[in-house]
Amino acid sequence: TNKMADYKKLYRSKDKKLCGVCGGLAAYFELDPTLLRLLWVILTFASCSLGLIAYLVCALIVPQEP
């Protein structure tokens, strides 16, 4: 058997608002994308823009959904 086929892969979603990071994370963790986007905004404001920096890093590193 192919062990790589057993792993879930993280992708940026094509169903996106900005870069697809939250949509991709929501699909990976099986969460509601709107809830994850809301939590990400709260994190950004609560952490003096650390959430924005993390989002930009994810947008650059995580590949687009095929």
Side-chain angles (χ1 to χ4, degrees), residues 6-27:
D6 295 337
Y7 293 105
K8 289 196 304 186
K9 293 189 178 190
L10 177 61
Y11 293 109
R12 289 184 291 130
S13 176
K14 289 182 180 177
D15 178 25
K16 57 187 176 183
K17 297 293 180 189
L18 291 175
C19 294
V21 173
C22 289
L25 285 170

Side-chain angles (χ1 to χ4, degrees), residues 8-16 19-37 39-41 43 51 54-59 61-63 65:
K8 289 196 304 186
K9 293 189 178 190
L10 177 61
Y11 293 109
R12 289 184 291 130
S13 176
K14 289 182 180 177
D15 178 25
K16 57 187 176 183
C19 294
V21 173
C22 289
L25 285 170
Y28 186 81
F29 291 112
E30 299 176 0
L31 298 171
D32 179 20
T34 303
L35 177 63
L36 193 59
R37 288 179 185 115
L39 290 173
W40 203 293
V41 168
L43 169 71
Y55 189 92
L56 293 174
V57 169
C58 288
I61 294 174
V62 177
E65 183 178 32

